[in-house]
Amino acid sequence: MTLKNLSPADTQTAIDAGARLIDIRSADEHAREHIPGAINVPLERINDLPHDGGPIIFLCKSGMRTAANAVQLGGAAGGVPAYILEGGIEAWRQAGQPTVIDRSQPLEIMRQVQITAGALVLTGVLLGLLVAPGFFGLSAFVGAGLIFAGLTGWCGMARLLAVMPWNRRA
């Protein structure tokens, strides 16, 4: 099933006519910011999507995740008309449409991984230059971990960050 893209304005019109908005981002992304009324069904659980017969509009952050998984999303829609919010929540926000922002929620796990990995690499480089060359090993260790995560899809740093106390609310 090919999913047609809808602009933010067309999406609002469809929602007003009864379409359901399904946010396929992770729970932590949805908790931090979402479109009012959007139902969070992360991509990895999309086959659990409840069916009530009405049209469905899928969204993600930028539209890339929904476009890349359009075949799977179309199948999960169960034969009802299904669409993609073109440009995702970013385009929705840029069009002046409302979002619910909860800054008390933690940053998304992958942003936390990026911040932590960057800080560790920079620390390793600075310590290696200023203290002892052995500290370059810290940067190498983090780089190897990122390569491993990219190749296998398993990120130990993300797993560790996910159980930190500030992430237990999402």
Side-chain angles (χ1 to χ4, degrees), residues 96-120:
Q97 298 286 1
T99 63
V100 176
I101 298 173
D102 186 354
R103 300 236 187 263
S104 70
Q105 292 295 323
L107 292 174
E108 301 89 44
I109 292 295
M110 289 318 297
R111 283 186 61 195
Q112 292 182 42
V113 167
Q114 292 166 341
I115 291 166
T116 303
L120 288 171

Side-chain angles (χ1 to χ4, degrees), residues 150-170:
L151 292 173
T152 65
W154 187 88
C155 181
M157 188 181 298
R159 300 277 178 142
L160 179 64
L161 287 169
V163 298
M164 291 292 135
W166 59 85
N167 286 322
R168 294 195 182 140
R169 292 178 290 174

Side-chain angles (χ1 to χ4, degrees), residues 59-132:
L59 78 113
C60 64
K61 181 179 179 183
S62 67
M64 293 181 67
R65 224 177 310 183
T66 50
N69 294 284
V71 172
Q72 182 183 3
L73 296 173
V80 302
Y83 307 92
I84 293 174
L85 170 56
E86 187 173 24
I89 194 169
E90 291 175 350
W92 180 267
R93 191 181 331 102
Q94 288 175 351
Q97 298 286 1
T99 63
V100 176
I101 298 173
D102 186 354
R103 300 236 187 263
S104 70
Q105 292 295 323
L107 292 174
E108 301 89 44
I109 292 295
M110 289 318 297
R111 283 186 61 195
Q112 292 182 42
V113 167
Q114 292 166 341
I115 291 166
T116 303
L120 288 171
V121 167
L122 183 59
T123 300
V125 169
L126 290 175
L127 289 174
L129 289 171
L130 301 173
V131 178

Side-chain angles (χ1 to χ4, degrees), residues 3-24:
L3 303 184
K4 180 182 172 190
N5 287 333
L6 294 180
S7 69
D10 291 339
T11 297
Q12 184 61 61
T13 301
I15 292 169
D16 292 342
R20 288 185 300 154
L21 197 55
I22 305 296
D23 188 339
I24 67 164

